[in-house]
Amino acid sequence: MHQLDDCIFCQIAQGNAPAYKIHEDELTLTFLDIFPATAGHLLIITKEHFTDIFEARPEALARVASNSVLMTKALEKVIAPDGLGIYQFNRACAGQTVFHYHMHLIPQFEGKDIGIHSKQAGDPEQLAAMAEQLKAAIQ
Ligand code: 5GP
Ligand code: ZN
């Protein structure tokens, strides 16, 4: 499987860098964004390193999509947001900042205008508690 030593998401996928992991299978890994736009902000990544959709394998992206449904159900149980923003950026000019394919799931609430990229790191205790709740809510 193609992976890069200097890619933070490859390091997380290989277990060499920490993350609040929620779900994993042979193709994908889901974990909390460390700079959450809102509580429960998730990233689903491919385990294999694809810089972006321009080089990604369709089967891996299909698994990211099917796991987004699984994770939506867990978010609904734990957070019950008013809406859910799903974002996926490819290349810097489209807003991508980590160059390893990933999808954002961001709970949204009526009347709350959120930015996708937060400048504030999440509180470790709150992230750990959220990860436990979401893990338990996956069916
Ligand atoms: P994008 O590339 O789609 O613009 O966003 C990358 C996302 O990855 C950002 O929301 C950022 O907060 C998140 N991120 C960057 N580095 C890390 C990290 O080391 N761990 C985690 N969990 N998230 C990260
Ligand atoms: Zn990578």
Side-chain angles (χ1 to χ4, degrees):
M1 190 181 288
H2 177 53
Q3 295 195 301
L4 296 182
D5 286 347
D6 61 354
C7 169
I8 182 60
F9 286 179
C10 281
Q11 291 305 310
I12 289 173
Q14 291 173 95
N16 296 333
Y20 297 95
K21 292 182 189 170
I22 311 293
H23 179 265
E24 145 164 49
D25 59 29
E26 78 281 14
L27 293 177
T28 71
L29 176 66
T30 301
F31 52 93
L32 291 174
D33 194 303
I34 203 80
F35 290 89
T38 59
H41 180 170
L42 298 180
L43 299 173
I44 308 179
I45 71 169
T46 55
K47 282 192 171 170
E48 186 162 4
H49 181 90
F50 305 114
T51 304
D52 52 40
I53 197 166
F54 293 98
E55 61 178 48
R57 264 196 317 124
E59 307 88 280
L61 266 60
R63 188 67 66 79
V64 170
S66 59
N67 283 338
S68 73
V69 178
L70 190 69
M71 294 319 309
T72 296
K73 290 184 177 146
L75 287 168
E76 177 79 325
K77 266 199 209 161
V78 173
I79 296 178
D82 297 323
L84 184 70
I86 297 188
Y87 307 93
Q88 200 279 304
F89 305 115
N90 301 281
R91 298 183 177 161
C93 81
Q96 187 175 9
T97 60
V98 175
F99 297 94
H100 175 130
Y101 181 90
H102 58 278
M103 173 188 277
H104 295 256
L105 271 64
I106 305 185
Q108 314 236 351
F109 301 90
E110 292 291 349
K112 260 199 167 177
D113 194 15
I114 60 117
I116 290 159
H117 294 113
S118 170
K119 289 185 179 61
Q120 205 172 343
D123 173 71
E125 271 182 31
Q126 285 177 10
L127 290 171
M130 178 61 67
E132 287 311 312
Q133 281 181 285
L134 288 172
K135 266 193 280 185
I138 294 174
Q139 288 171 329

